[in-house]
Amino acid sequence: YFTFLSLIAFCYLFLFVVYRVLFLCVMWFLFVLVFFFVLLFFLMIRRPPRSTLDRSSAASDVYKRQV
């Protein structure tokens, strides 16, 4: 049979487990979010491939090729 003290201990343990799981889920979500933002940042700042460096379609470069 349940006593009042065992009910309080069960509720405390249950809430402890629930909050620990929620905390770990939030930490994992933040880790994944930061990882993808860092990955996106490094993919954006890396150099373009060399095949696009030889001929640019900028207006100034097109003008220089015509002169």
Side-chain angles (χ1 to χ4, degrees), residues 46-54:
R46 72 178 183 88
R47 281 181 42 198
R50 291 198 179 270
S51 60
T52 61
L53 292 177
D54 54 349

Side-chain angles (χ1 to χ4, degrees), residues 1-19:
Y1 64 97
F2 277 109
T3 62
F4 183 69
L5 193 59
S6 63
L7 183 64
I8 290 177
F10 175 76
C11 289
Y12 176 78
L13 186 65
F14 178 75
L15 288 177
F16 176 77
V17 170
V18 167
Y19 281 131

Side-chain angles (χ1 to χ4, degrees), residues 22-38:
L22 283 176
F23 175 76
L24 290 176
C25 288
V26 168
M27 287 295 114
W28 177 249
F29 175 75
L30 288 177
F31 171 76
V32 170
L33 195 68
V34 168
F35 175 76
F36 279 116
F37 270 112
V38 168

